[in-house]
Coordinates of all heavy atoms in Angstrom, one line a residue:
Q212 N 2.4 -56.6 54.9 CA 3.5 -55.8 55.2 C 4.2 -56.4 56.4 O 5.4 -56.5 56.4 CB 3.1 -54.4 55.4 CG 4.2 -53.5 55.7 CD 3.7 -52.0 55.8 OE1 3.2 -51.5 54.8 NE2 3.9 -51.4 56.9
E213 N 3.5 -56.7 57.5 CA 4.1 -57.0 58.7 C 4.5 -58.5 58.9 O 5.5 -58.9 59.3 CB 3.3 -56.5 59.9 CG 3.3 -55.0 60.0 CD 2.5 -54.5 61.2 OE1 1.8 -55.3 61.9 OE2 2.5 -53.3 61.4
A214 N 3.5 -59.4 58.5 CA 3.7 -60.8 58.7 C 4.6 -61.4 57.6 O 5.4 -62.3 57.8 CB 2.4 -61.5 58.8
F215 N 4.4 -60.9 56.4 CA 5.1 -61.5 55.2 C 6.3 -60.7 54.7 O 7.0 -61.1 53.8 CB 4.1 -61.8 54.0 CG 3.0 -62.6 54.4 CD1 1.7 -62.3 54.0 CD2 3.1 -63.8 55.2 CE1 0.6 -63.1 54.3 CE2 2.0 -64.6 55.6 CZ 0.8 -64.2 55.1
T216 N 6.4 -59.5 55.3 CA 7.5 -58.5 55.0 C 7.5 -58.3 53.5 O 8.6 -58.3 52.8 CB 8.9 -59.0 55.5 OG1 9.3 -60.2 54.9 CG2 8.9 -59.0 57.0
R217 N 6.4 -58.1 52.9 CA 6.2 -57.8 51.5 C 5.6 -56.4 51.3 O 5.0 -55.9 52.2 CB 5.3 -58.8 50.8 CG 5.7 -60.3 51.0 CD 6.8 -60.6 50.0 NE 7.3 -62.0 50.3 CZ 7.3 -63.0 49.4 NH1 6.8 -62.7 48.2 NH2 7.7 -64.2 49.7
D218 N 5.7 -55.8 50.1 CA 5.1 -54.5 49.9 C 3.7 -54.7 49.3 O 3.6 -55.1 48.2 CB 6.0 -53.8 48.9 CG 5.4 -52.4 48.5 OD1 4.4 -51.9 49.2 OD2 6.0 -51.7 47.6
P219 N 2.7 -54.4 50.0 CA 1.3 -54.6 49.5 C 0.9 -53.6 48.4 O -0.1 -53.8 47.7 CB 0.4 -54.4 50.7 CG 1.2 -53.5 51.6 CD 2.7 -53.9 51.4
H220 N 1.8 -52.6 48.2 CA 1.5 -51.6 47.1 C 2.3 -51.8 45.9 O 2.4 -51.0 45.0 CB 1.8 -50.2 47.7 CG 1.0 -49.9 48.9 ND1 1.5 -50.0 50.2 CD2 -0.4 -49.6 49.1 CE1 0.6 -49.7 51.0 NE2 -0.5 -49.4 50.4
G221 N 3.0 -53.0 45.8 CA 3.9 -53.3 44.7 C 3.3 -53.8 43.4 O 4.0 -54.1 42.5
G222 N 2.0 -54.1 43.5 CA 1.3 -54.6 42.2 C 1.1 -56.1 42.2 O 0.5 -56.6 41.3
D223 N 1.7 -56.8 43.2 CA 1.4 -58.3 43.3 C 0.1 -58.5 43.8 O -0.5 -57.7 44.5 CB 2.5 -58.9 44.2 CG 3.9 -58.9 43.7 OD1 4.0 -58.9 42.4 OD2 4.8 -58.8 44.5
L224 N -0.5 -59.7 43.5 CA -1.7 -60.2 44.1 C -1.4 -61.0 45.3 O -0.6 -61.8 45.3 CB -2.5 -61.1 43.0 CG -2.9 -60.4 41.7 CD1 -3.5 -61.5 40.8 CD2 -3.9 -59.3 41.9
Y225 N -2.2 -60.8 46.3 CA -2.1 -61.5 47.5 C -3.5 -62.2 47.8 O -4.5 -61.5 47.8 CB -1.7 -60.6 48.7 CG -0.4 -60.0 48.5 CD1 -0.2 -58.8 48.0 CD2 0.8 -60.8 48.9 CE1 1.1 -58.3 47.8 CE2 2.0 -60.3 48.7 CZ 2.2 -59.0 48.2 OH 3.5 -58.5 48.0
V226 N -3.4 -63.5 47.9 CA -4.7 -64.3 47.9 C -4.8 -64.9 49.3 O -3.8 -65.5 49.8 CB -4.7 -65.4 46.8 CG1 -6.0 -66.2 46.9 CG2 -4.4 -64.8 45.5
F227 N -5.9 -64.8 50.0 CA -6.2 -65.3 51.3 C -7.4 -66.2 51.2 O -8.3 -66.0 50.5 CB -6.5 -64.2 52.3 CG -5.3 -63.2 52.4 CD1 -5.3 -62.1 51.5 CD2 -4.3 -63.4 53.3 CE1 -4.3 -61.2 51.6 CE2 -3.3 -62.5 53.4 CZ -3.2 -61.3 52.6
R228 N -7.3 -67.4 52.0 CA -8.5 -68.3 52.0 C -9.1 -68.2 53.4 O -8.4 -68.2 54.4 CB -8.0 -69.7 51.7 CG -9.2 -70.7 51.6 CD -8.7 -72.1 51.3 NE -8.1 -72.6 52.5 CZ -8.1 -73.9 52.7 NH1 -8.5 -74.8 51.8 NH2 -7.5 -74.4 53.8
G229 N -10.4 -68.3 53.5 CA -11.1 -68.4 54.7 C -10.9 -69.8 55.4 O -10.5 -70.7 54.7
K230 N -11.2 -69.8 56.7 CA -11.0 -71.1 57.5 C -11.7 -72.3 56.9 O -11.2 -73.4 56.8 CB -11.3 -70.9 58.9 CG -10.4 -70.0 59.6 CD -10.8 -69.9 61.1 CE -9.8 -68.9 61.8 NZ -10.2 -68.8 63.2
S231 N -12.9 -72.1 56.4 CA -13.7 -73.2 55.9 C -13.3 -73.6 54.5 O -13.7 -74.6 54.0 CB -15.2 -72.8 55.8 OG -15.4 -71.8 54.8
G232 N -12.5 -72.7 53.8 CA -12.0 -73.1 52.4 C -13.0 -72.7 51.3 O -12.7 -72.9 50.2
K233 N -14.2 -72.1 51.7 CA -15.1 -71.7 50.7 C -15.0 -70.3 50.2 O -15.7 -69.9 49.3 CB -16.5 -71.9 51.3 CG -16.9 -73.4 51.5 CD -18.2 -73.5 52.1 CE -18.6 -75.0 52.3 NZ -19.5 -75.4 51.3
L234 N -14.2 -69.5 50.9 CA -14.0 -68.1 50.5 C -12.6 -67.8 50.3 O -11.7 -68.2 51.0 CB -14.6 -67.3 51.7 CG -14.3 -65.7 51.6 CD1 -15.2 -65.2 50.5 CD2 -14.6 -65.1 52.9
I235 N -12.3 -67.0 49.2 CA -11.0 -66.5 49.0 C -11.1 -65.0 48.8 O -12.1 -64.5 48.3 CB -10.2 -67.1 47.9 CG1 -10.9 -66.9 46.5 CG2 -9.8 -68.6 48.1 CD1 -9.9 -67.3 45.4
K236 N -10.1 -64.2 49.2 CA -10.0 -62.8 49.0 C -8.7 -62.5 48.3 O -7.7 -63.1 48.7 CB -10.1 -62.1 50.3 CG -11.4 -62.2 51.0 CD -11.5 -61.4 52.3 CE -12.9 -61.6 52.9 NZ -13.0 -60.8 54.1
I237 N -8.8 -61.6 47.3 CA -7.5 -61.2 46.6 C -7.3 -59.7 46.8 O -8.2 -58.9 46.5 CB -7.7 -61.6 45.1 CG1 -7.9 -63.1 44.9 CG2 -6.4 -61.1 44.3 CD1 -8.2 -63.4 43.5
L238 N -6.1 -59.4 47.3 CA -5.8 -58.0 47.6 C -4.8 -57.6 46.4 O -3.9 -58.3 46.1 CB -5.1 -57.9 48.9 CG -4.7 -56.5 49.4 CD1 -6.0 -55.7 49.8 CD2 -3.8 -56.6 50.6
W239 N -5.1 -56.4 45.9 CA -4.2 -55.9 44.7 C -4.2 -54.4 44.7 O -5.2 -53.7 44.9 CB -4.7 -56.5 43.4 CG -4.0 -55.9 42.2 CD1 -2.7 -56.0 42.0 CD2 -4.6 -55.3 41.1 NE1 -2.4 -55.4 40.7 CE2 -3.6 -55.0 40.2 CE3 -6.0 -55.0 40.7 CZ2 -3.8 -54.3 39.0 CZ3 -6.1 -54.3 39.6 CH2 -5.1 -54.0 38.7
H240 N -3.0 -53.8 44.6 CA -2.9 -52.4 44.5 C -2.5 -52.1 43.0 O -1.4 -52.6 42.6 CB -1.9 -51.8 45.4 CG -1.9 -50.4 45.6 ND1 -1.3 -49.5 44.6 CD2 -2.5 -49.5 46.5 CE1 -1.5 -48.3 45.0 NE2 -2.3 -48.3 46.1
D241 N -3.3 -51.3 42.3 CA -3.0 -51.1 40.9 C -2.2 -49.9 40.6 O -2.0 -49.4 39.5 CB -4.3 -51.1 40.1 CG -5.2 -49.9 40.5 OD1 -4.8 -49.1 41.4 OD2 -6.3 -49.8 39.9
G242 N -1.7 -49.3 41.7 CA -0.9 -48.0 41.4 C -1.8 -46.8 41.8 O -1.2 -45.7 42.1
L243 N -3.1 -47.0 41.8 CA -4.0 -45.8 42.1 C -4.7 -46.1 43.4 O -5.0 -45.2 44.1 CB -5.0 -45.7 41.0 CG -4.5 -45.3 39.7 CD1 -5.6 -45.3 38.6 CD2 -3.8 -43.9 39.7
G244 N -5.0 -47.3 43.7 CA -5.7 -47.7 44.9 C -5.7 -49.2 45.2 O -5.4 -50.0 44.3
M245 N -6.2 -49.5 46.4 CA -6.2 -50.9 46.8 C -7.6 -51.5 46.4 O -8.6 -50.9 46.7 CB -6.0 -51.0 48.3 CG -5.8 -52.4 48.8 SD -4.2 -53.1 48.4 CE -3.1 -52.1 49.4
S246 N -7.5 -52.7 45.9 CA -8.8 -53.4 45.5 C -8.8 -54.7 46.3 O -7.8 -55.4 46.6 CB -8.8 -53.8 44.1 OG -8.8 -52.6 43.2
L247 N -10.0 -55.1 46.7 CA -10.2 -56.3 47.4 C -11.3 -57.1 46.7 O -12.5 -56.6 46.5 CB -10.6 -56.1 48.8 CG -10.9 -57.4 49.7 CD1 -9.6 -58.2 49.8 CD2 -11.4 -57.0 51.1
Y248 N -11.0 -58.3 46.2 CA -12.0 -59.1 45.4 C -12.2 -60.3 46.3 O -11.3 -60.8 47.0 CB -11.3 -59.6 44.1 CG -11.0 -58.5 43.1 CD1 -9.7 -57.9 43.2 CD2 -11.9 -58.0 42.3 CE1 -9.4 -56.9 42.3 CE2 -11.6 -56.9 41.5 CZ -10.4 -56.4 41.5 OH -10.0 -55.3 40.7
A249 N -13.4 -60.8 46.3 CA -13.8 -62.0 47.1 C -14.6 -62.9 46.2 O -15.4 -62.5 45.3 CB -14.7 -61.6 48.2
K250 N -14.4 -64.2 46.4 CA -15.2 -65.3 45.7 C -15.5 -66.3 46.7 O -14.7 -66.8 47.5 CB -14.4 -65.9 44.6 CG -15.2 -66.9 43.8 CD -14.5 -67.3 42.6 CE -15.4 -68.3 41.7 NZ -14.8 -68.7 40.5
R251 N -16.8 -66.7 46.8 CA -17.3 -67.7 47.7 C -17.9 -68.9 46.8 O -18.7 -68.6 45.9 CB -18.4 -67.2 48.6 CG -18.9 -68.2 49.6 CD -20.0 -67.6 50.5 NE -19.7 -66.3 51.0 CZ -19.0 -66.1 52.2 NH1 -18.6 -67.1 52.9 NH2 -18.8 -64.9 52.6
L252 N -17.5 -70.1 47.1 CA -18.0 -71.2 46.4 C -19.3 -71.7 47.1 O -19.4 -71.7 48.3 CB -17.0 -72.4 46.5 CG -15.7 -72.2 45.7 CD1 -14.8 -73.4 45.9 CD2 -16.0 -72.0 44.2
E253 N -20.2 -72.1 46.2 CA -21.5 -72.6 46.7 C -21.3 -74.1 47.1 O -21.9 -74.5 48.1 CB -22.6 -72.5 45.6 CG -22.9 -71.1 45.2 CD -23.5 -70.3 46.4 OE1 -24.3 -70.8 47.2 OE2 -23.2 -69.1 46.5
R254 N -20.5 -74.8 46.4 CA -20.2 -76.2 46.7 C -18.7 -76.4 46.6 O -18.0 -75.8 45.8 CB -20.9 -77.1 45.7 CG -22.4 -77.2 46.0 CD -22.9 -78.2 45.0 NE -23.1 -77.5 43.7 CZ -23.4 -78.2 42.6 NH1 -23.5 -79.5 42.6 NH2 -23.5 -77.6 41.5

């Protein structure tokens, strides 16, 4: 909302990567609530 001036509740997916590049997080609002998904690569 503040840095990207986007609506986090609009239904778009927002993907963030950790500093090491092994972790990503996906933020999504489905109209009912906010979900946060995470995936970490082993290699």
Side-chain angles (χ1 to χ4, degrees):
Q212 181 175 301
E213 293 183 353
F215 304 137
T216 61
R217 308 278 176 121
D218 179 10
H220 303 101
D223 292 329
L224 298 176
Y225 295 95
V226 183
F227 302 89
R228 185 181 77 156
K230 289 181 183 179
S231 71
K233 293 180 176 258
L234 174 70
I235 61 170
K236 293 181 180 180
I237 302 173
L238 184 70
W239 175 55
H240 194 280
D241 65 0
L243 298 175
M245 192 70 71
S246 297
L247 181 63
Y248 300 92
K250 183 171 184 176
R251 183 182 312 274
L252 292 178
E253 297 296 323
R254 288 185 280 169

